[in-house]
Amino acid sequence: MGTVNAMNILIIGLGSIGVRHLINFHALRPDAKFFALRQTASEPIKSHPGFDQAIPNYQTITSLQQAKTVNPSLVVIANPSSLHAQTALFF
């Protein structure tokens, strides 16, 4: 079996749906690097109401332009639905 390249996974929006995707993708690809696009560069969240498990480590990004520089292999759009199309078109 060949070597699998490390993935950069970007989660846009870190509400309950974004957190769920972060946890699930971490379970599937613990070797991936995780990034979260958030409105502010606050400390990474460690827990979220409704989730028993700890939230995996991620790097916070605060702009779409910065998000593009991490060259994401996969982008999860979990921001408000009114912004989905605009966000998807950026990538």
Side-chain angles (χ1 to χ4, degrees):
M1 184 175 245
T3 304
V4 176
N5 292 333
M7 292 182 74
N8 289 342
I9 298 177
L10 171 64
I11 311 290
I12 299 177
L14 214 52
S16 62
I17 300 300
V19 168
R20 182 173 307 281
H21 280 83
L22 177 60
I23 291 169
N24 290 341
F25 276 115
H26 184 264
L28 293 171
R29 293 298 302 262
D31 60 321
K33 293 180 183 175
F34 292 91
F35 300 87
L37 177 60
R38 302 179 67 198
Q39 290 180 347
T40 62
S42 58
E43 289 293 315
I45 58 175
K46 299 294 181 191
S47 64
H48 192 283
F51 295 96
D52 292 333
Q53 59 271 70
I55 296 175
N57 291 329
Y58 62 89
Q59 180 180 334
T60 300
I61 292 174
T62 57
S63 72
L64 285 172
Q65 292 75 19
Q66 184 184 12
K68 228 174 184 179
T69 67
V70 302
N71 195 24
S73 308
L74 182 132
V75 177
V76 174
I77 299 174
N79 56 0
S81 58
S82 62
L83 301 174
H84 284 185
Q86 174 186 345
T87 303
L89 289 172
F90 189 80
F91 290 94

